[in-house]
Amino acid sequence: MATESKALFRGRAFIDRAIPAVGGVISDSPRDLQLSFTQPVDASLSEVDVATSGGQMEPTGKATLDPTRSNVLHVRLGRVLKPGVYFVRG
């Protein structure tokens, strides 16, 4: 999955790590995404979109802050993803 960061996060937080990994290949559709940032983020100001390589948006839940790490957001996927290339925009 590829990721890119918008300026919706407090200050200048940038995506540091993602699960599934940026550019990674996985065998099964993940249930959720985990995005780690370079500094704390505010989930109430954060949007995360998932799109196919053709630009079709996939349903996602609202981004939630990890209960123990203020720099990590979790995003639940709204359905099982079909095999393909997906882009994550946050």
Side-chain angles (χ1 to χ4, degrees):
M1 294 192 153
T3 62
E4 55 187 57
S5 181
K6 287 194 255 183
L8 294 174
F9 304 98
R10 188 179 352 169
R12 299 294 245 166
F14 297 98
I15 294 176
D16 183 43
R17 191 170 60 110
I19 300 173
V22 175
V25 177
I26 56 177
S27 58
D28 294 318
S29 176
R31 287 189 233 168
D32 66 354
L33 306 176
Q34 179 177 303
L35 305 173
S36 299
F37 292 85
T38 56
Q39 67 182 36
V41 293
D42 185 339
S44 68
L45 300 176
S46 304
E47 287 182 24
V48 177
D49 297 317
V50 177
T52 66
S53 59
Q56 178 182 341
M57 300 304 292
E58 294 291 337
T60 62
K62 186 175 179 167
T64 58
L65 193 60
D66 187 278
T68 61
R69 297 171 291 171
S70 62
N71 68 318
V72 177
L73 290 178
H74 295 273
V75 180
R76 192 130 187 72
L77 297 175
R79 64 178 171 206
V80 173
L81 300 178
K82 295 178 183 175
V85 175
Y86 292 86
F87 296 92
V88 177
R89 295 180 194 96

